Amino acid sequence: MPRVRITRRLHFSAAHRLARPDWSDEENRRVFGDCANPNWHGHNYELEVTVAGPVDPETGYVMDLKALKDLVNRRVVDDLDHRNLNLEVAWLEGVIPSTENLAVRIWQRIAPHIPPPAELEQVLLRETRRHWVEYTGG
């Protein structure tokens, strides 16, 4: 049976600060640059979630894209949109909210809820048009 990939793109806006609380402001600025601004900064993130699996002969779907959109909104976007990632998102508590860490946490929020036989194949998170992260699990 052929394996097909489907992708849903969503977006959210959020603020964050990259910093370690156990480091001085100077050390955070040295390592994280402008991203360590103590007054925060924000991004308009683009999130692409790719699911792969066989095409269901009854529906013609790998997974209903509306169901995928609803899942990602419920498990991820609703928690992140117009939030401070450092202060307002319980599932990011204690995590430096880099794009890399955010992509991994998003995967963890979505993967267990993809209906078999489909599987989450990739989370691609764009922080800017020139900077993105791809995570494929593992």
Side-chain angles (χ1 to χ4, degrees):
M1 172 137 321
R3 185 170 168 89
V4 176
R5 298 172 57 191
I6 62 167
T7 301
R8 181 68 193 204
R9 181 180 294 166
L10 301 98
H11 68 273
F12 60 93
S13 299
H16 69 161
R17 177 180 187 225
L18 301 186
R20 291 184 54 100
D22 56 328
W23 289 358
S24 68
D25 284 343
E26 295 76 27
E27 182 69 4
N28 278 309
R29 173 74 71 182
R30 186 185 69 72
V31 172
F32 298 113
D34 289 341
C35 293
N37 181 346
N39 293 314
W40 317 99
H41 69 283
H43 299 283
N44 294 312
Y45 292 91
E46 293 240 346
L47 171 62
E48 293 182 15
V49 177
T50 300
V51 172
V55 177
D56 184 315
E58 291 184 27
T59 65
Y61 292 161
V62 170
M63 177 181 178
D64 183 329
L65 281 167
K66 167 92 168 61
L68 179 58
K69 178 185 87 167
D70 292 346
L71 169 66
V72 176
N73 277 327
R74 186 176 64 255
R75 301 281 307 159
V76 175
V77 174
D78 291 349
D79 289 345
L80 301 179
D81 194 31
H82 289 85
R83 299 288 188 269
N84 182 312
L85 303 179
N86 298 76
L87 302 176
E88 298 182 274
V89 182
W91 48 269
L92 292 174
E93 188 173 326
V95 174
I96 297 172
S98 65
T99 309
E100 295 88 341
N101 282 334
L102 193 51
V104 171
R105 290 297 172 109
I106 289 169
W107 177 283
Q108 293 168 345
R109 301 275 303 164
I110 299 169
H113 302 280
I114 301 296
E119 298 175 313
L120 185 58
E121 185 165 286
Q122 178 174 280
V123 167
L124 186 149
L125 183 61
R126 284 184 172 84
E127 188 177 83
T128 72
R129 286 189 281 174
R130 295 178 305 274
H131 172 206
W132 64 87
V133 169
E134 298 174 37
Y135 183 64
T136 57

